[in-house]
Amino acid sequence: MSTNEINLCSFILKEYHGPVAEKVGVYLLKNGSMPLRMIAQDLSLKLSQTKKTLYTLMQHNMVDFELHKRGFVEYRLDIENVLVRLRFPRFIYSAKMLYGDTAELLVEELLHHGQIEMSRLLDKVTERLNESAEGGEVSSENVREQFVALVHTQFIRRCLAVTTHTTGQPQAIPSFSTEEQDVHTVPTSVLNAVDSRKRKRSVDGSEQATKKQRTDTSEEQLPDKGVFWQIDYQRFNHYLRDQHIINAIGERVDKRAAETVRAILRLSELSMDFRVPTTNPVSYHEIMQALPKELGVNSETLDQYLKILVDDSMEFILKADDSGGGMYVIHLKRALTTICKAHLESVVRERFGSKYFRIFKLLMLKKQLEQKQIEEFAMIPAKEAKDMLYRMFGEQFVTITEVPRTPDHAPSRTFFLFSVNISYVARMLLEQCYKAMFNLTLRREHETKENKRLLDKQQRVEAIAASLEQSGADPSQRDEVEEMITPSERAQLARVKHITNKLEQSELQLEETVFVLQTYLQYDKLS
């Protein structure tokens, strides 16, 4: 774990949960699994305060626990579940694109709460939909169906139940239940309890209750109390991975080829083992049935596209067997390696220039070359090629392998072969991305703090203007309120908004690069 990762995690914890959560999180990152009393003692915190902080971090899936062999509980921070918060906007957007506005709100509420009961979640989302609905009332039945669909497609999962047992000590020891069934199904008992609660509300007339009555639901009233749900981060990560592969095929071939790849991924996404480098084999007939009818792809056209994809030099698609009209798989490891290479090439082109990019790409194609061979193949003068090679070597984009012809390793009798270690370069760039992300977040925080008074004033003015508009006040009154912000202040607010938007957009783009590099490194470990 690097310093850049710890700094970025520290900022995320502080931004979302405050300075105490930051202290506890960084302590666990640096020291590994630790018991409650040791955490409180080393950080000079009250035991109750440490408990509340750990509870909050566990609620948001950042801390988990395990039972030590000596009988006490140790807490550990999951760094991946901290860094994944940078990807939350893409999770919400993906849910919206796949299932619509209701799914977007379900995912947003789940990410906001970390873990929540189904009935409470449905109430909150239904209320938000009704508040934003221009006409009519949104049925809670539609929200329930959308929730079940997200669970069925594994974007939402049930949390493992926690049980307690005694070990001869005065306190109960928690542990995860081992008698867990499928976490991607909604238990019938929960569905029946939620439905009966809905019918009871309808009979009692509570569907027309006020907002306060809707939200004032005690835990004792929940029919599914203790059954919590959370976002399945891994499933969203795999969906985003698939989107990168589909986009790469679309750019290289066309839309129909991309839809063919999408069909193969969809057919195996819920059943495949994610620890293998290829998808499950999918038959030709299954692909044909899964393709959208509006594409107008017939049997002959699909044959041609599959042949193009199988014969392509990228080797994303492989023909595994001839049975069933042909069995096809997607080699995820090769696909992600190609996508990662494209990102590395883009970095080299932007940082060094087109000639450096030519040498870098040549080394990735030819694997290992001597300096003279590089000069000839890249058609670059010897002195210039040497300077470029050693500059990239100094910045660790290129490595040198010595191959001696004699045991004394004399330079005159040694071959010096230049190459690109993709895994090493990806790790190096990932560290630089963490550092850049930390700097971006610091700059955004600085801009917000420097203009906090002005931003608060703008919020107050907008709130007053909105209330006047709702009450049907005269437009001149609203104009008078808005004039409380002077022209110079408006110019300053526009500048802050412009800078903040650019920083946020940079964070999103940088996070996409982080995701590609992380995913490639995960698959690079697979055989």
Side-chain angles (χ1 to χ4, degrees):
M1 189 183 309
S2 66
T3 304
N4 293 322
E5 279 183 286
I6 294 175
N7 289 339
L8 184 56
C9 285
S10 172
F11 183 88
I12 293 171
L13 290 168
K14 182 180 178 181
E15 185 177 36
Y16 283 95
H17 301 292
V20 178
E22 177 194 16
K23 288 176 66 176
V24 173
V26 172
Y27 175 83
L28 290 175
L29 279 177
K30 293 180 177 179
N31 295 278
S33 300
M34 298 295 289
L36 172 64
R37 291 189 178 277
M38 189 67 72
I39 298 170
Q41 180 180 341
D42 290 351
L43 295 177
S44 301
L45 297 173
K46 294 180 180 179
L47 200 61
S48 59
Q49 189 179 25
T50 309
K51 281 183 181 179
K52 289 179 181 178
T53 302
L54 287 171
Y55 173 80
T56 301
L57 295 177
M58 290 173 67
Q59 171 77 16
H60 289 272
N61 311 305
M62 293 189 225
V63 166
D64 53 21
F65 61 86
E66 59 184 359
L67 182 63
H68 193 270
K69 61 183 180 182
R70 294 186 178 179
F72 57 86
V73 178
E74 290 187 323
Y75 298 88
R76 180 183 67 86
L77 189 80
D78 190 334
I79 188 169
E80 292 184 4
N81 283 358
V82 177
L83 294 176
V84 80
R85 299 190 76 88
L86 300 170
R87 211 166 293 147
F88 281 5
R90 296 175 68 194
F91 289 175
I92 297 170
Y93 180 76
S94 298
K96 180 181 177 66
M97 292 296 100
L98 285 171
Y99 297 103
D101 294 339
T102 303
E104 176 191 12
L105 293 180
L106 283 167
V107 171
E108 185 178 337
E109 284 291 335
L110 269 171
L111 292 173
H112 176 69
H113 289 88
Q115 300 176 9
I116 190 172
E117 295 96 337
M118 176 181 173
S119 55
R120 194 189 299 274
L121 175 65
L122 298 185
D123 287 347
K124 289 180 178 292
V125 173
T126 304
E127 180 187 332
R128 287 184 62 183
L129 287 170
N130 286 326
E131 286 178 352
S132 60
E134 295 181 357
E137 188 171 351
V138 178
S139 170
S140 59
E141 183 67 24
N142 295 332
V143 182
R144 172 186 174 278
E145 290 176 359
Q146 202 69 265
F147 177 86
V148 174
L150 285 168
V151 174
H152 178 69
T153 51
Q154 301 183 5
F155 288 104
I156 296 176
R157 57 167 291 162
R158 184 156 41 96
C159 301
L160 295 175
V162 178
T163 59
T164 58
H165 62 278
T166 58
T167 58
Q169 297 181 357
Q171 62 179 8
I173 301 299
S175 64
F176 289 116
S177 173
T178 57
E179 299 179 357
E180 290 294 334
Q181 298 179 359
D182 187 5
V183 295
H184 293 114
T185 57
V186 183
T188 307
S189 58
V190 173
L191 283 176
N192 293 338
V194 172
D195 289 342
S196 64
R197 176 171 177 258
K198 181 171 70 70
R199 287 193 297 269
K200 182 180 178 182
R201 277 188 164 191
S202 181
V203 171
D204 296 342
S206 56
E207 288 291 340
Q208 286 77 32
T210 62
K211 178 181 177 182
K212 182 178 179 180
Q213 289 172 327
R214 285 176 185 263
T215 55
D216 187 22
T217 304
S218 63
E219 291 187 2
E220 288 73 15
Q221 295 174 316
L222 294 176
D224 56 342
K225 180 183 176 183
V227 182
F228 291 91
W229 301 84
Q230 68 182 64
I231 293 297
D232 193 325
Y233 300 145
Q234 188 183 53
R235 177 68 178 90
F236 270 102
N237 287 337
H238 293 151
Y239 172 77
L240 295 175
R241 174 206 66 193
D242 293 347
Q243 288 302 114
H244 279 285
I245 296 173
I246 293 166
N247 293 337
I249 291 292
E251 292 175 2
R252 186 172 179 84
V253 188
D254 61 11
K255 182 181 177 181
R256 287 183 174 180
E259 289 299 325
T260 302
V261 172
R262 188 194 302 274
I264 299 173
L265 289 167
R266 287 265 178 98
L267 288 167
S268 59
E269 63 184 355
L270 299 182
S271 59
M272 66 174 291
D273 184 354
F274 295 107
R275 292 165 294 184
V276 296
T278 61
T279 61
N280 294 334
V282 178
S283 71
Y284 169 86
H285 299 295
E286 290 176 317
I287 299 171
M288 189 68 197
Q289 292 175 359
L291 284 172
K293 302 299 181 184
E294 57 269 18
L295 276 180
V297 177
N298 55 30
S299 178
E300 184 179 349
T301 306
L302 181 58
D303 280 333
Q304 293 174 352
Y305 273 106
L306 287 172
K307 189 176 187 306
I308 290 172
L309 291 170
V310 169
D311 294 339
D312 190 83
S313 60
M314 291 196 302
E315 297 181 335
F316 279 19
I317 313 296
L318 303 175
K319 191 171 184 180
D321 200 349
D322 292 326
S323 60
M327 303 293 288
Y328 297 88
V329 299
I330 295 179
H331 202 296
L332 298 171
K333 184 176 179 180
R334 291 179 186 172
L336 291 165
T337 301
T338 302
I339 295 169
C340 180
K341 284 181 179 179
H343 278 73
L344 301 185
E345 291 169 2
S346 177
V347 170
V348 171
R349 186 194 294 112
E350 293 298 322
R351 180 178 294 189
F352 302 111
S354 59
K355 290 186 177 180
Y356 289 86
F357 163 71
R358 196 190 311 170
I359 294 175
F360 188 79
K361 191 173 182 66
L362 178 65
L363 286 173
M364 285 203 294
L365 288 172
K366 299 292 186 180
K367 307 301 181 186
Q368 288 187 329
L369 289 174
E370 289 187 276
Q371 182 180 326
K372 188 175 181 180
Q373 292 174 308
I374 295 170
E375 297 165 6
E376 294 173 355
F377 288 139
M379 294 181 290
I380 297 176
K383 186 177 183 302
E384 194 174 355
K386 181 180 178 181
D387 292 340
M388 292 177 180
L389 276 170
Y390 283 97
R391 182 183 174 189
M392 285 194 289
F393 173 73
E395 298 198 25
Q396 302 180 10
F397 282 89
V398 171
T399 59
I400 298 178
T401 304
E402 297 182 10
V403 182
R405 289 183 291 177
T406 56
D408 59 357
H409 287 260
S412 59
R413 293 184 293 275
T414 300
F415 294 110
F416 294 93
L417 302 178
F418 291 87
S419 61
V420 175
N421 187 331
I422 299 173
S423 300
Y424 179 81
V425 177
R427 289 190 187 91
M428 178 190 68
L429 287 182
L430 186 59
E431 285 299 314
Q432 293 181 6
C433 287
Y434 287 143
K435 183 177 180 180
M437 183 73 76
F438 178 62
N439 291 336
L440 283 172
T441 52
L442 279 182
R443 174 66 189 278
R444 177 167 52 81
E445 182 187 43
H446 172 75
E447 288 291 336
T448 305
K449 282 184 177 179
E450 285 291 307
N451 299 276
K452 188 176 186 303
R453 183 195 62 80
L454 195 56
L455 292 171
D456 290 344
K457 180 180 178 180
Q458 183 189 32
Q459 288 181 352
R460 289 195 301 271
V461 169
E462 288 177 350
I464 295 170
S467 63
L468 288 173
E469 186 177 4
Q470 289 179 355
S471 62
D474 190 80
S476 59
Q477 290 180 293
R478 181 177 177 179
D479 294 340
E480 184 178 348
V481 170
E482 291 178 346
E483 287 176 359
M484 292 171 63
I485 301 178
T486 64
S488 60
E489 288 177 332
R490 290 190 183 279
Q492 178 68 6
L493 285 170
R495 188 192 74 84
V496 173
K497 183 179 179 181
H498 176 69
I499 293 175
T500 305
N501 288 341
K502 285 187 69 175
L503 291 171
E504 290 176 350
Q505 187 65 30
S506 299
E507 286 180 41
L508 291 173
Q509 293 175 349
L510 191 57
E511 194 284 321
E512 186 174 344
T513 302
V514 168
F515 174 74
V516 170
L517 296 174
Q518 285 179 339
T519 310
Y520 161 73
L521 291 172
Q522 289 173 3
Y523 276 88
D524 186 55
K525 299 175 184 177
L526 302 177
S527 56

